[in-house]
Amino acid sequence: MEIQFLGTGAGQPSKSRNTQAIALKLLDERNEIWLFDCGEATQHQILNTTIKPRKIKKIFITHLHGDHIFGLPGFLSSRSFQSSEEQTDLEMYGPVGLKNYVMTSLRLSGSKLGYRIIFHELENGGKIFEDDSFEVYAEPLDHTIFCLGYRVVEKNRVGELDAQGLKEAGLPFGPLFGQVKKGQVVEYKGKIFDPKDFIGQDKIGKIVTILGDTRKSNAAVRLAWGANLLVHEATYEAKESKMARNHGHSTSKQAADVAKEAGVNRLLLTHISARYVGPLVNQLASEAQEVHANAFVVRDFYEEKID
Ligand code: ZN
């Protein structure tokens, strides 16, 4: 599981930062990628990565401000062209109004897609997705318009079967192996094979929390509780906390406060105001690190493995 930042700026694109978009790469886990927000020119940014648009199977939108959604019509249209051999459906999650925005843009521009979009418009939080291996939760944050944060929970997986050990203990390969793997005690030729002896420890799933724009909020703490990774906006430096409040944003220190309260392992700061360039970015980072040592300000295309 990896995360890659396609846009890390706030409000408008700058020469060094595009507007918001984040790719959560679940290629090993489910051979797909989930996109969080889609600022203008996200598809151009994708061209500079190894990401294949058809691998993006879910898009989660935090809120309907332009710097988070203006890239959607272009990306959705190009995804249709680029995946001519395999048109796979796309699920989209986000605030009410998302469907209207997307469908109006596509209709007025005469854009036809070769795949279906399944919309999940959210009026509130709660569990919004679950299957065998993952769950996703959403909760409203504290911004100037309705804005969501998302918590992605990978379910724990059963540990690995010690096939060699089982064979050496006298069980032949075959259906009985499957029974042990499923946790059943198996008897074979008078001998007992207990799964406890042949299955390793459960593999603990990862928790990743990706938030939209927000003031410091308790919802953010709940969403990030015990997460391996929290992605939090840090539009301003600490001394601009009044400005942050007025515009519905956070300072890097406030983001670190949330990370600390929630007990997260790693904090990545994004959605950086264009006023912070060069050494000023280090200022944001060091203010966060005073509160939460494992914090880092990301730039466009930054990627890391989640552990
Ligand atoms: Zn916003």
Side-chain angles (χ1 to χ4, degrees):
M1 192 186 298
E2 294 90 33
I3 192 162
Q4 185 168 27
F5 291 81
L6 301 169
T8 59
Q12 301 164 345
S14 67
K15 282 184 187 167
S16 54
R17 295 182 187 273
N18 199 43
T19 49
Q20 199 76 10
I22 299 166
L24 182 63
K25 297 181 174 179
L26 305 172
L27 295 168
D28 289 342
E29 291 79 7
R30 51 197 299 138
N31 195 26
E32 57 190 54
I33 295 170
W34 293 356
L35 188 66
F36 290 78
D37 286 337
C38 188
E40 185 181 351
T42 293
Q43 63 167 326
H44 301 64
Q45 299 289 87
I46 287 175
L47 293 174
N48 294 309
T49 70
T50 57
I51 294 171
K52 293 189 175 66
R54 69 185 153 84
K55 293 276 184 194
I56 296 178
K57 302 281 173 63
K58 291 184 188 296
I59 300 179
F60 298 87
I61 296 296
T62 60
H63 65 303
L64 299 182
H65 277 155
D67 54 327
H68 297 253
I69 62 168
F70 282 167
L72 278 174
F75 170 77
L76 295 171
S77 303
S78 299
R79 184 182 185 271
S80 192
F81 285 119
Q82 288 160 8
S83 50
S84 52
E85 73 287 4
E86 187 197 348
Q87 298 278 351
T88 51
D89 291 349
L90 182 74
E91 300 214 49
M92 288 186 70
Y93 302 79
V96 173
L98 178 62
K99 181 176 180 179
N100 191 12
Y101 166 69
V102 169
M103 297 314 287
T104 302
S105 304
L106 295 175
R107 192 180 67 248
L108 292 179
S109 58
S111 309
K112 291 202 169 53
L113 305 184
Y115 58 88
R116 282 188 316 155
I117 304 177
I118 298 136
F119 289 93
H120 305 272
E121 292 194 324
L122 310 169
E123 287 178 65
N124 270 304
K127 189 193 283 183
I128 61 165
F129 171 74
E130 179 171 12
D131 69 4
D132 291 349
S133 53
F134 278 84
E135 290 173 316
V136 182
Y137 298 84
E139 193 171 339
L141 299 167
D142 181 11
H143 190 41
T144 54
I145 61 169
F146 183 78
C147 180
L148 293 156
Y150 295 100
R151 175 183 173 90
V152 177
V153 180
E154 182 189 21
K155 292 183 177 177
N156 294 348
R157 282 172 294 158
V158 179
E160 299 222 4
L161 183 71
D162 177 12
Q164 193 57 33
L166 206 47
K167 196 178 161 203
E168 281 167 12
L171 193 71
F173 279 120
L176 292 176
F177 260 64
Q179 287 183 24
V180 176
K181 172 94 186 166
K182 278 187 203 144
Q184 295 165 9
V185 177
V186 167
E187 195 183 339
Y188 179 74
K189 290 192 174 170
K191 211 172 163 193
I192 300 292
F193 298 87
D194 190 330
K196 283 206 298 283
D197 304 328
F198 298 100
I199 294 179
Q201 283 190 324
D202 275 6
K203 289 180 191 153
I204 306 298
K206 307 278 182 353
I207 300 174
V208 180
T209 300
I210 299 175
L211 304 181
D213 296 1
T214 187
R215 300 180 181 97
K216 184 174 184 288
S217 92
N218 291 332
V221 175
R222 285 192 292 273
L223 285 164
W225 197 257
N228 298 72
L229 171 67
L230 167 64
V231 178
H232 199 300
E233 71 128 290
T235 312
Y236 299 105
E237 66 195 295
K239 72 174 193 299
E240 302 288 5
S241 62
K242 197 169 167 213
M243 174 118 76
R245 165 145 292 279
N246 289 342
H247 291 92
H249 290 297
S250 298
T251 66
S252 62
K253 181 187 175 304
Q254 288 170 331
D257 286 338
V258 168
K260 191 180 176 193
E261 255 181 79
V264 312
N265 175 36
R266 173 79 160 151
L267 170 65
L268 294 179
L269 300 168
T270 186
H271 202 268
I272 309 300
S273 165
R275 64 169 68 189
Y276 303 109
V277 284
L280 292 173
V281 176
N282 299 337
Q283 168 81 9
L284 292 186
S286 58
E287 285 176 357
Q289 284 156 358
E290 279 171 28
V291 177
H292 190 287
N294 196 9
F296 183 70
V297 177
V298 297
R299 51 181 166 67
D300 287 16
F301 303 115
Y302 175 78
E303 181 172 14
E304 80 173 32
K305 193 169 164 38
I306 297 164
D307 50 29

